[in-house]
Amino acid sequence: MNIKNYINGEFIKPTSNEWIDNYNPSNGEVYGQIPNSSKADVENAYIAAKAAFPSWSQTTLEERSRILIKISELLEANLERFAEAESKDNGKPISLAKTVDIPRAASNFRFFGNAITQFASESHESAGENAINYTLRQPIGVVGCISPWNLPLYLFTWKIAPAIASGNCVVAKPSEVTPLTAYLLGEICDEAGLPKGVLNIVHGLGTTTGQAIVEHPDIKAISFTGGTATGAHIAKVAAPMFKKLSLELGGKNPNIIFADCDYDDMLNTTIRSSFANQGQICLCGSRIFVDSSIYEKFKADFVEKIKQLKVGHPSDSDTNIGALVSKPHLEKVKTYIEVAKEENGKILCGGNKVTVKNYENGYYLEPTVIEAPSDECRVNQEEIFGPVVTIMPFDNEDEVLQMANKVKYGLSATLWTNDLKRTMRMSNQLQAGIVWVNTWMMRDLRTPFGGVKASGVGREGGFEALRFFTEPKNICIKY
Ligand code: NAD
């Protein structure tokens, strides 16, 4: 299957005619090719976006909203096809793509289709001076959206939907590792009547295609989700050009379990927050800290349940854990298991590659639990981004708070307790952009989403995203 760029409403080959192999992680085979787009392709996408901007930015809110909601409906109508494509491209269980990834991509369009009709700006009356200020929120122009492979369509649309809802035109690049659903989105946009050039999708490597978007002098804002090192590089390139930047980066999130929690709910949710999507979610609670009074019980119950999880082909309905996204990523995660052993970590379960019958070359790994000797060891400090978690006991609130915060990241944290005062104390002091108490990954799309420290700069979600994709202009009138 050959994927093409979607530029000015048309599916076209890269100008250089250079291609990259696309792998199916479930069997390790190449099943298609994607464009290795160059600067020239990004330039063509920019020209299309620029030409579409005057008309799109003047399109009524009602019409923009109608088109976004239509895209959402078409995604829902094509749920099976998109879920199959996402699962094939990424290795995630098809059941997950069907219940989480694709429904959420549809929600992103519906949500921002509605949100734009409710978005408002401020006015300030300067009392005693006979003056009034009102603030316009104008679209920026052509913006760049760059997304990662772990939640491909989910995160791609989380950027595109608010960008076009607020009247911008977009040059977007999905991860080269998972390009398929972004390609299919082009067809849906056409069918929904999105005018040509409003959304342009260019495929290719980060270092060429992505870099060309970030370097482009007239792409005025970059919304990026991906690794912290890439985010730092993008900031370096974009800052001297004074681009608006939203950076959603890595995480190493604590999952803090107190003895007074609802135990069964905590245990079941902790299995999800550890291993959902093969542990490849930036929000996964990969460092589990457990109250020492229940540590041994938790350890036994957790490991027993994890041993029951089925690692299997993504299209099997009873598969809990599918394939990791790529061979290099599988190797990286396996290296961390070796690092844990060298650091005197104890592998409580997992740690090995899994051979799935008939799919022997797929990238499967057992869910792995490491009893860590210290919160400062590498497996407790560095983002592994796979089906690997660490567990450690703690004796009191101060100790666990210190361990939870002693990493360079600050994306999310999960807290399990029924003590209200403790909840308030801990939530205030945890260094994270998102704190979940007695739940995990419960999302209300109106809330600010993003991290602190090395987890990023800026917030997505709700009106925060619409503010990012618009420029405020204040007008002061004396009367
Ligand atoms: P990555 O940084 O390697 O790539 C992300 C995207 O950036 C890809 O499309 C890639 O092609 C592109 N890219 C790479 N180099 C570039 C460059 N020089 N210029 C422009 N674009 C470039 O990340 P990944 O491996 O795809 O994704 C995993 C990472 O993403 C993890 O660190 C994870 O925590 C993070 N992530 C964060 C969030 C969040 O919301 N904070 C969500 C999901 C994933």
Side-chain angles (χ1 to χ4, degrees):
M1 165 166 202
N2 269 16
I3 282 173
K4 296 200 178 86
N5 287 331
Y6 176 66
I7 297 177
N8 207 23
E10 301 198 357
F11 290 96
I12 52 176
K13 290 182 182 174
T15 46
S16 64
N17 206 24
E18 281 182 27
W19 303 83
I20 308 166
D21 287 339
N22 191 18
Y23 287 83
N24 177 340
S26 75
N27 59 20
E29 287 168 13
V30 172
Y31 78 100
Q33 292 195 308
I34 75 162
N36 185 7
S37 302
S38 63
K39 238 180 167 154
D41 299 300
V42 170
E43 185 59 27
N44 288 340
Y46 167 75
I47 290 167
K50 188 182 173 205
F53 180 70
S55 160
W56 181 246
S57 56
Q58 291 305 313
T59 299
T60 62
L61 295 183
E62 197 181 357
E63 177 64 0
R64 278 189 236 156
S65 170
R66 193 189 65 72
I67 294 174
L68 264 80
I69 289 169
K70 182 75 184 159
I71 296 173
S72 166
E73 289 167 355
L74 287 170
L75 280 171
E76 280 163 354
N78 286 278
L79 174 69
E80 297 282 332
R81 182 169 167 240
F82 271 78
E84 272 169 31
E86 200 72 296
S87 168
K88 186 173 180 178
D89 221 17
N90 172 280
K92 66 179 70 209
I94 196 162
S95 52
L96 190 71
K98 224 184 267 185
T99 52
V100 176
D101 292 76
I102 308 307
R104 172 57 193 277
S107 295
N108 290 340
F109 281 106
R110 176 170 284 110
F111 176 83
F112 284 108
N114 286 318
I116 196 61
T117 67
Q118 306 298 315
F119 190 44
S121 58
E122 292 175 322
S123 79
H124 300 84
E125 190 177 2
S126 304
E129 298 192 73
N130 288 348
I132 185 148
N133 294 267
Y134 67 93
T135 308
L136 292 176
R137 279 265 163 197
Q138 297 179 312
I140 295 170
V142 179
V143 299
C145 299
I146 301 175
S147 60
W149 51 257
N150 64 322
L151 299 166
L153 194 65
Y154 175 135
L155 291 175
F156 195 55
T157 55
W158 183 230
K159 300 180 177 308
I160 289 168
I164 62 178
S166 46
N168 300 284
C169 293
V170 175
V171 176
K173 190 192 95 62
S175 168
E176 61 275 27
V177 187
T178 52
L180 186 50
T181 47
Y183 171 63
L184 300 176
L185 179 68
E187 290 175 7
I188 295 272
C189 289
D190 254 4
E191 201 181 331
L194 187 71
K196 288 178 195 306
V198 173
L199 171 63
N200 304 277
I201 303 171
V202 241
H203 296 271
L205 300 175
T207 45
T208 50
T209 320
Q211 182 80 18
I213 295 174
V214 177
E215 278 177 351
H216 197 290
D218 297 314
I219 296 180
K220 298 288 185 199
I222 302 288
S223 174
F224 169 80
T225 299
T228 293
T230 316
H233 171 79
I234 288 176
K236 221 186 235 175
V237 176
M241 301 166 90
F242 308 108
K243 296 192 183 207
K244 237 178 158 179
L245 271 185
S246 166
L247 301 172
E248 300 294 335
L249 311 176
K252 188 75 184 172
N253 313 304
N255 177 7
I256 303 167
I257 299 166
F258 284 94
D260 69 340
C261 69
D262 294 335
Y263 189 83
D264 291 342
D265 189 14
M266 174 281 293
L267 188 62
N268 290 327
T269 308
T270 294
I271 288 164
R272 264 195 326 116
S273 66
S274 302
F275 299 115
N277 204 38
Q278 297 67 247
Q280 303 167 141
I281 302 181
C282 53
L283 305 163
C284 276
S286 54
R287 295 182 293 146
I288 305 176
F289 297 107
V290 188
D291 203 320
S292 49
S293 65
I294 58 162
Y295 183 72
E296 290 304 325
K297 176 175 164 50
F298 172 82
K299 185 163 92 174
D301 293 344
F302 187 52
V303 167
E304 191 196 320
K305 286 228 177 208
I306 286 160
K307 284 183 174 162
Q308 291 164 16
L309 294 177
K310 186 188 157 201
V311 179
H313 192 270
S315 64
D316 289 347
S317 57
D318 59 346
T319 287
N320 302 113
I321 300 200
L324 270 68
V325 76
S326 69
K327 196 167 185 196
H329 190 59
L330 172 68
E331 294 306 325
K332 178 194 149 186
V333 176
K334 275 169 53 195
T335 304
Y336 272 107
I337 295 171
E338 294 312 310
V339 167
K341 289 177 190 162
E342 283 161 21
E343 290 180 317
N344 298 321
K346 191 169 164 199
I347 312 293
L348 298 177
C349 66
N352 303 305
K353 194 173 178 302
V354 177
T355 304
V356 174
K357 195 161 172 255
N358 299 327
Y359 305 101
E360 285 77 7
N361 294 323
Y363 315 134
Y364 301 95
L365 187 69
E366 289 174 332
T368 304
V369 181
I370 300 165
E371 190 167 44
S374 138
D375 65 300
E376 292 184 347
C377 59
R378 279 183 65 195
V379 287
N380 256 332
Q381 289 290 319
E382 296 174 22
E383 186 184 44
I384 301 174
F385 214 56
V388 178
V389 291
T390 63
I391 67 170
M392 276 188 69
F394 66 85
D395 289 326
N396 58 56
E397 235 177 85
D398 286 346
E399 183 194 8
V400 74
L401 195 60
Q402 212 185 37
M403 293 195 290
N405 287 341
K406 217 196 304 162
V407 288
K408 70 173 180 176
Y409 298 105
L411 187 53
S412 71
T414 303
L415 193 57
W416 290 94
T417 179
N418 280 310
D419 181 328
L420 179 61
K421 287 184 179 169
R422 173 191 283 147
T423 301
M424 307 297 279
R425 276 194 304 271
M426 297 277 296
S427 305
N428 273 342
Q429 294 180 76
L430 279 165
Q431 295 170 357
I434 302 148
V435 178
W436 278 296
V437 182
N438 299 331
T439 182
W440 175 72
M441 221 176 146
M442 191 179 236
R443 294 282 295 115
D444 179 325
L445 302 189
R446 293 170 300 178
T447 60
F449 179 91
V452 298
K453 304 198 292 188
S455 291
V457 181
R459 292 292 181 274
E460 297 186 301
F463 290 164
E464 296 282 344
L466 297 176
R467 284 188 199 107
F468 174 77
F469 284 116
T470 52
E471 199 67 76
K473 180 194 281 176
N474 191 67
I475 292 134
C476 175
I477 303 175
K478 186 150 167 51
Y479 53 89

